[in-house]
Amino acid sequence: MSAPGAILTRPPVVGGGGTGMVSQLVLAVVCAGYATGAFLGWGSKELALIMGDFGLSCAALIAAVSCFLYARDEASRSESSFRPAWLLFSFSSAMAACGNGVWGWYEVVLRRDVPNTSPADLFFLCFAPPAIVGLLVLAKRPVTRAGWVCLALDSWLIGGSLLTLSWSLALARTAHEGEGEGVGHATLTLAYPLLDIVLVSMVLALHFRRSSANRTAVNTAIAALALTVLCDALFTSPLLHEHYRSGQLLDAGWFAGSLLLAYAPWAAVRMPAAPSLKPLAAPRAARPAAGRAQAPPVTRPLASSLAALTPYLAAAVCTLGILYNVIAGHRVSRMAVFTGCTVVLALVVRQGIMLLDNIALTHELAQKENHFRSLVQGSSDVIMIAAPTGVLRYVSPAAAGVYGRDAEELVGSELASLIHPEDLGRVVHEVRRFLAAPPADEPTTRIECRFKSGSGEWLNVESTVNRHQGGLILNSRDVTERVRLQAQLEHNAEHDPLTDLPNRALFTKRVRKALGGRRISDPGTAVLFIDLDGFKQVNDTIGHQAGDELLIQAARRLHESVRAGDTAARFGGDEFAALILGDGTRDRAAREHHVREIADRLRLTLSQPYRIDGNEVRVAASIGVAFAEPGVGAGELLRNADLAMYRAKKGGKNRVELYAPQMQAEVVRKTELAARLRSALSDGEFVVLHQPVVDLTTGEVSAVAAQARWRSAQGILFTPAEFLRVADESERAAELGRWLLEEAVELAAERRRAGLAAPVSVRLSARRLLDKSLPIGALEALLARHGLPSGALIIELADSDPRISFDELERRLVGLRRLGVRIALDGFGSGYAAINALRRLPIDLLKLDRGLVEGVVESARLHKITAGLLRIACDLGMQSVADGVDVPEQVLALRAMGCTHGQGMAFSGPLDEFRLRRSLLRGEYPVPGGAALSVLSGRSRPLLGSHDETPVPPT
């Protein structure tokens, strides 16, 4: 790479918002007001006593009620993990309220000094134990025995050091002075500081081990208890204890501690996060604790360092307490020596535990490192690490199998040297964009490009890219086969599988392109529709395989006859088309003469004899020509050429016909046919036949396909191809489709009530599905009215018009799926936009096109194409149905290729209701194999005389 390294809002508010700010402001104002009153002496001695005793009692009572109400609220929310802690804090505050109340009874009501030993002392002593236990509940519980031992040792290290220091400074003297006043008084005198030491120890231990849940409430509770303990320590100190009177400034600390504890449980109000238009990189504290993958927690080096130094600081405090006595010349008490020794012993034990824990962690880290190294080296993907300069620093051994190059050979080379020059600019742009994006917003990206292999071949490689120390980590895999298959699928979607010419979809796209852009004003552009006359006789006389070979030769002749910039296409059957681009000629007669010459040359070329299997076969060509005109779109131009081609066939075939406006008379004829269709629908001349869909392995009937037939006056049921084409363009199309759907659902419901539960499939075009006359609500009402359960109706999505919106079609199919309707993609392998349909539409079944099935035995080319399509269906986990399975050999071939179901004359033709029920009672058809093959071969043909008509079933 030329340039080094070239390859290479705010968070949503979860708290209470404005309400929380108001609460904090009120709390601060009340505490400041109390402190101001205490500092000024409250104006009178009596008011000072009332506020110093009953004011503190009221504040503690508020804390007790607040903690109790929050604990009850936690129980109603089924969030009871911290509920005992708040109940204990409630009890602790209640004890403080009672103690202050008794103290006020003596000073305010009885107007005398509080005795040295009174009931108030009992209540005050009961304040610390429940608070200590509550702090233990809030602490994060260790998960191992060593963790519990370390927690106990840490607590003792803190408590023991504080006890040693306090005993050395004051408690020893307090205990000595209290001995003269009795054991009870001495015990009571020592109980207050000792409990405060224990409470301080728990506060400090909890600060480094607190749970991450409801952190704001826990921190506020810790601050409240810490403020209370600090005031207790000041109260018990000899300097303040002798001169303390109720209502002084020290009471403001207790008052603020009680109100802080009252506010603590409500400090973090549960509210939903503010809505966001896009994902934001919110701080970790604002992200939910469950329900989604979370980012690693933010590390706090200072807090972690203090937690690690806590044992050593505790030992230092203990040592300072003993050194103070030595330096001051005081006698070191046995209590201080004992507690100091236990602190040192606890520190030694804790260090031993930590040493063993570190050894275990080091061993586990080594095992994990070996495990991940084996994963990287054994992975089939190539893992590469690129420095910020773009030079590869590491390449996994999989490179030998994927790229055909040793990993050592690639290490030290530039990443840019492996990438195809045409892809390099796009890759550099994507990598620069990725590195400029915030890592929290975009942790990885995906790049697909071509890499050079050891043999010099360019491989399609897909890489997942991560950041790594200013450079990149690339996890790459070879997707060459996938890209080739995707290209092949895209090619198949736009090309005829037999002749490899562009199909209707691609041809329409090119016509639309020719009518736009710089050729929009070129009147010489023309479309030729070509139909081979006599092709049906070829199929009937020498077989379909010979017909396929004739189509291949005709396609080759057509492709070789058009110019390089023109397009030859096959629409299906014996219908071909050609797009002739204009040469800028403005003269109408000249352009018509030029295009007619091309059309005549094509007609003569296609009419030359074909040599097939030693036989000379002749067919003629009828060609319709339509010229591009201002205001004529692609669809209209194709339709005009089609009309001209039909005029050429009706005019005697083997001729060229130019489109003329008078050909609109054909539209009048279609209108007449539409009128006949309308009367046929109203007179009930249409009937529904059902053709069984059979499991190719077991022969069981898995579904039935509903088909509309027109009963003629001669008693023959015709396939109304011509009339259905008219219906598709007339206002009666919706009525015909609705009639077929309603009849099929009603008959399926009647069979289900008779115990013959077989799903029914109805073929509808995409345009018919999007028709406003067939809303989702009407179909839902139809299914509910007949009681047809979920999965009993299958809609076969027929070949769609290129102008159909895939977005609208996808929404309609999703709505049908919600009703329990299954969706089948009909005509797979030759239909329009099959790849887009598979990628975007909710498809359950794939139905192979009849054109692929007809020559699957005789044509090796069709065999490969059909096998590939069936493999796609299998890979997507979909069932497949082959349409037009007419002979046993096709059954055997399709089953060998993985096709699951078949429909055709090899099993049964379309049946009336009586024969269908008899068939469903039988339950299965014989499938080829052994004796079943001969039976099936003897009955496959007589059921249907041709593809155009079916004998009338008995009534």
Side-chain angles (χ1 to χ4, degrees):
M1 183 171 299
S2 57
I7 275 292
L8 300 188
T9 72
R10 293 184 318 195
V13 180
V14 184
T19 305
M21 292 294 295
V22 171
S23 301
Q24 296 172 9
L25 182 60
V26 171
L27 178 64
V29 169
V30 172
C31 292
Y34 190 95
T36 303
F39 179 77
L40 299 177
W42 296 106
S44 66
K45 182 178 180 181
E46 183 177 0
L47 181 59
L49 292 177
I50 294 175
M51 295 303 296
D53 295 333
F54 293 113
L56 293 182
S57 178
C58 182
L61 184 61
I62 292 174
V65 173
S66 175
C67 293
F68 177 78
L69 292 178
Y70 182 78
R72 187 181 63 179
D73 185 55
E74 286 285 287
S76 64
R77 293 174 179 265
S78 300
E79 301 174 359
S80 56
S81 56
F82 292 148
R83 181 170 175 261
W86 298 110
L87 288 176
L88 290 169
F89 290 154
S90 175
F91 179 76
S92 177
S93 299
M95 293 297 99
C98 293
N100 284 302
V102 172
W103 197 285
W105 176 265
Y106 280 103
E107 288 189 334
V108 177
V109 178
L110 300 182
R111 297 184 180 274
R112 64 187 182 89
D113 294 336
V114 182
N116 290 334
T117 303
S118 68
D121 295 316
L122 176 62
F123 290 115
F124 286 140
L125 289 176
C126 290
F127 168 81
I132 293 171
V133 178
L135 290 175
L136 285 174
V137 174
L138 291 179
K140 184 188 298 183
R141 295 172 178 79
V143 295
T144 60
R145 292 183 179 179
W148 284 105
V149 173
C150 287
L151 176 61
L153 292 175
D154 288 344
S155 300
W156 172 244
L157 284 171
I158 297 173
S161 61
L162 292 178
L163 178 60
T164 303
L165 181 62
S166 302
W167 191 272
S168 300
L169 295 177
L171 292 184
R173 184 175 58 184
T174 302
H176 179 71
E177 293 174 354
E179 289 179 358
E181 300 182 9
V183 177
H185 178 71
T187 303
L188 185 62
T189 303
L190 293 176
Y192 283 114
L194 291 178
L195 287 176
D196 287 338
I197 289 174
V198 175
L199 194 55
V200 169
S201 302
M202 292 309 305
V203 167
L204 292 176
L206 179 60
H207 176 70
F208 300 115
R209 292 180 176 268
R210 62 185 182 275
S211 175
S212 60
N214 207 357
R215 182 172 296 173
T216 304
V218 174
N219 289 340
T220 307
I222 293 175
L225 294 176
L227 182 58
T228 303
V229 170
L230 176 63
C231 294
D232 288 345
L234 294 174
F235 173 75
T236 55
S237 63
L239 295 177
L240 295 180
H241 183 68
E242 296 177 358
H243 306 285
Y244 172 77
R245 295 292 183 272
S246 295
Q248 293 181 347
L249 188 60
L250 186 60
D251 291 344
W254 282 313
F255 183 82
S258 297
L259 291 188
L260 270 180
L261 188 59
Y263 173 73
W266 312 99
V269 181
R270 293 173 177 82
M271 293 184 66
S276 177
L277 295 178
K278 60 181 180 178
L280 298 176
R284 270 70 168 180
R287 297 186 178 179
R292 68 183 70 175
Q294 293 204 20
V298 179
T299 57
R300 288 179 291 274
L302 180 59
S304 301
S305 302
L306 290 177
L309 292 175
T310 299
Y312 306 101
L313 293 176
V317 170
C318 180
T319 304
L320 289 175
I322 297 177
L323 288 177
Y324 170 78
N325 285 338
V326 174
I327 295 174
H330 300 155
R331 184 176 62 88
V332 180
S333 66
R334 296 179 181 178
M335 183 66 181
V337 173
F338 175 76
T339 55
C341 291
T342 55
V343 168
V344 174
L345 179 61
L347 180 61
V348 172
V349 173
R350 189 184 188 282
Q351 289 303 106
I353 294 175
M354 295 302 295
L355 178 62
L356 295 177
D357 202 17
N358 287 336
I359 294 175
L361 288 176
T362 303
H363 180 66
E364 182 181 358
L365 181 61
Q367 287 183 335
K368 289 184 177 180
E369 183 179 356
N370 293 332
H371 174 67
F372 285 112
R373 182 181 292 110
S374 63
L375 287 178
V376 170
Q377 294 180 352
S379 174
S380 59
D381 293 350
V382 180
I383 300 175
M384 300 183 294
I385 300 178
T389 58
V391 177
L392 295 176
R393 297 190 302 189
Y394 173 79
V395 179
S396 66
V402 176
Y403 299 149
R405 304 174 67 175
D406 293 336
E408 294 78 5
E409 177 187 350
L410 295 175
V411 173
S413 61
E414 290 186 348
L415 182 59
S417 63
L418 303 176
I419 300 176
H420 196 283
E422 296 179 0
D423 300 337
L424 183 58
R426 175 173 52 84
V427 172
V428 171
H429 175 75
E430 173 61 20
V431 170
R432 286 175 175 173
R433 184 202 61 78
F434 169 67
L435 293 177
D441 290 348
E442 192 173 2
T444 64
T445 188
R446 182 167 296 181
I447 296 175
E448 187 169 332
C449 60
R450 286 169 288 180
F451 269 37
K452 182 184 293 185
S453 66
S455 60
E457 179 184 2
W458 291 104
L459 303 176
N460 293 93
V461 175
E462 182 183 68
S463 303
T464 302
V465 184
N466 298 79
R467 300 172 179 84
H468 176 71
Q469 298 178 358
L472 301 172
I473 293 182
L474 297 94
N475 191 344
S476 306
R477 61 203 64 86
D478 183 10
V479 294
T480 304
E481 290 299 324
R482 189 194 72 185
V483 172
R484 290 175 180 172
L485 179 59
Q486 182 177 357
Q488 183 63 38
L489 289 174
E490 292 176 355
H491 179 83
N492 292 343
E494 295 184 334
H495 290 77
D496 176 61
L498 180 63
T499 63
D500 204 39
L501 289 179
N503 59 12
R504 182 184 295 271
L506 180 57
F507 186 80
T508 304
K509 184 188 301 183
R510 292 186 179 178
V511 170
R512 189 178 293 112
K513 182 179 180 181
L515 297 180
R518 64 182 180 86
R519 297 183 179 273
I520 190 169
S521 60
D522 190 350
T525 300
V527 170
L528 281 62
F529 261 48
I530 307 166
D531 185 85
L532 299 182
D533 304 321
F535 176 74
K536 185 177 183 301
Q537 286 75 12
V538 175
N539 278 340
D540 294 340
T541 54
I542 60 178
H544 289 279
Q545 184 174 0
D548 290 345
E549 180 61 28
L550 188 149
L551 291 175
I552 294 173
Q553 293 185 24
R556 187 182 303 116
R557 293 183 186 183
L558 179 61
H559 179 70
E560 293 174 353
S561 299
V562 299
R563 299 172 302 181
D566 299 335
T567 300
R570 180 189 178 218
F571 284 0
D574 58 351
E575 291 186 352
F576 294 85
L579 171 64
I580 308 300
L581 299 178
D583 55 3
T585 303
R586 294 288 179 176
D587 183 63
R588 182 182 184 89
R591 70 170 185 176
E592 288 184 359
H593 177 72
H594 175 67
V595 173
R596 180 180 284 275
E597 283 185 346
I598 295 175
D600 280 329
R601 186 172 66 249
L602 289 177
R603 180 183 61 80
L604 292 175
T605 300
L606 296 174
S607 300
Q608 294 296 320
Y610 296 86
R611 198 72 182 177
I612 301 175
D613 295 335
N615 299 320
E616 187 177 276
V617 180
R618 289 181 178 272
V619 294
S622 297
I623 302 178
V625 181
F627 290 94
E629 299 289 348
V632 176
E636 188 177 356
L637 183 60
L638 295 177
R639 185 170 59 251
N640 293 344
D642 196 15
L643 289 174
M645 185 268 292
Y646 276 111
R647 173 61 64 88
K649 292 181 72 69
K650 291 180 181 180
K653 301 182 180 180
N654 193 20
R655 54 181 297 177
V656 175
E657 190 76 33
L658 300 183
Y659 171 78
Q662 57 266 28
M663 291 181 183
Q664 291 297 329
E666 183 70 18
V667 178
V668 176
R669 187 187 67 84
K670 290 184 178 181
T671 304
E672 295 175 353
L673 293 178
R676 293 176 55 189
L677 174 64
R678 186 183 303 114
S679 62
L681 284 172
S682 60
D683 296 341
E685 295 181 8
F686 273 90
V687 296
V688 178
L689 300 184
H690 295 83
Q691 189 171 26
V693 179
V694 179
D695 191 308
L696 296 184
T697 302
T698 64
E700 296 180 354
V701 179
S702 59
V704 293
Q707 303 173 6
R709 293 294 186 270
W710 192 329
R711 187 189 302 272
S712 68
Q714 292 76 22
I716 303 297
L717 291 177
F718 287 95
T719 304
E722 182 178 13
F723 298 99
L724 286 179
R725 181 183 300 176
V726 174
D728 287 339
E729 299 175 359
S730 71
E731 60 183 11
R732 311 302 297 179
E735 183 179 350
L736 179 59
R738 184 167 57 252
W739 173 86
L740 177 60
L741 186 61
E742 290 178 353
E743 288 291 320
V745 169
E746 182 178 359
L747 292 174
E750 291 178 359
R751 289 192 297 272
R752 183 169 293 272
R753 287 191 291 270
L756 303 175
V760 62
S761 63
V762 180
R763 186 176 186 270
L764 294 175
S765 67
R767 183 169 54 181
R768 192 61 51 234
L769 281 174
L770 297 179
D771 199 303
K772 295 181 180 179
S773 63
L774 188 65
I776 293 293
L779 183 57
E780 182 178 9
L782 176 65
L783 296 175
R785 183 168 68 251
H786 293 287
L788 208 60
S790 176
L793 176 62
I794 303 172
I795 296 296
E796 296 181 7
L797 178 63
D799 190 17
S800 61
D801 193 303
R803 295 167 293 181
I804 293 296
S805 169
F806 257 104
D807 295 333
E808 189 175 355
L809 182 59
E810 181 181 7
R811 289 192 292 270
R812 178 57 59 93
L813 293 181
V814 169
L816 292 176
R817 287 280 295 275
R818 292 195 186 102
L819 300 180
V821 178
R822 301 170 66 191
I823 307 300
L825 182 61
D826 189 29
F828 182 64
S830 65
Y832 164 72
I835 299 301
N836 283 338
L838 283 180
R839 180 172 62 88
R840 297 185 56 182
L841 301 182
I843 304 299
D844 300 303
L845 305 169
L846 292 180
K847 193 168 185 179
L848 286 179
D849 184 71
R850 188 183 189 92
L852 295 177
V853 178
E854 287 177 349
V856 73
V857 177
E858 298 85 358
S859 174
R861 184 185 184 91
L862 280 181
H863 188 281
K864 291 181 180 180
I865 293 174
T866 306
L869 295 176
L870 289 173
R871 186 165 61 251
I872 292 174
C874 181
D875 293 342
L876 294 177
M878 298 181 181
Q879 292 183 339
S880 52
V881 180
D883 189 14
V885 183
D886 294 336
V887 295
E889 292 79 8
Q890 293 174 347
V891 177
L892 295 173
L894 290 168
R895 185 172 59 190
M897 287 186 283
C899 185
T900 59
H901 297 79
Q903 170 187 343
M905 299 306 299
F907 304 104
S908 173
L911 303 175
D912 67 332
E913 190 65 20
F914 173 78
R915 291 182 179 178
L916 176 63
R917 294 199 178 198
R918 188 171 62 184
S919 174
L920 293 177
L921 284 173
R922 186 170 67 245
E924 62 183 24
Y925 285 90
V927 293
L933 180 58
S934 60
V935 174
L936 190 59
S937 300
R939 61 173 295 182
S940 61
R941 288 296 184 183
L943 292 176
L944 201 62
S946 70
H947 295 310
D948 297 327
E949 59 186 36
T950 304
V952 179
T955 57

